[in-house]
Amino acid sequence: LYEEFKPLFYSLNGDEQTNLIKLLVEGNSERVVGIHIGGDLATEIIQTIAVAMKLGTTKQDLNNSIGIHSSTAEEFFLYD
């Protein structure tokens, strides 16, 4: 799952910066096996998702959660 987007923070101040995120899931189980992210706060977001990955989280677990608005990290909770 891959997405390029402009965080709300940059939309409001007119900045043209975009972020890239990719969520890697395993087959039918949709267990999260990796993430890629480029943009602000990437290290903090990766650290948080890494903990969830160690606990065996799935894409459905993320879908059942609520991302903090407005943040770059909330994009991981919006994948269809």
Side-chain angles (χ1 to χ4, degrees):
L1 308 167
Y2 170 82
E3 183 175 337
E4 180 176 353
F5 66 98
K6 181 187 289 191
L8 180 61
F9 174 80
Y10 295 114
S11 297
L12 295 175
N13 70 10
D15 195 321
E16 293 300 316
Q17 179 173 332
T18 59
N19 288 351
L20 305 171
I21 63 173
K22 183 191 294 185
L23 185 66
L24 306 170
V25 297
E26 179 180 61
N28 291 334
S29 73
E30 292 192 331
R31 184 174 63 91
V32 177
V33 295
I35 67 166
H36 298 175
I37 184 167
D40 287 349
L41 305 174
T43 54
E44 286 84 358
I45 296 166
I46 287 174
Q47 181 64 37
T48 302
I49 299 291
V51 171
M53 287 171 46
K54 291 293 265 183
L55 295 172
T57 199
T58 65
K59 182 181 163 295
Q60 189 61 49
D61 293 330
L62 295 178
N63 289 349
N64 291 337
S65 301
I66 299 172
I68 297 169
H69 182 70
S70 71
S71 72
T72 298
E74 82 177 307
E75 294 297 319
F76 285 105
F77 301 95
L78 302 175
Y79 275 126
D80 288 328

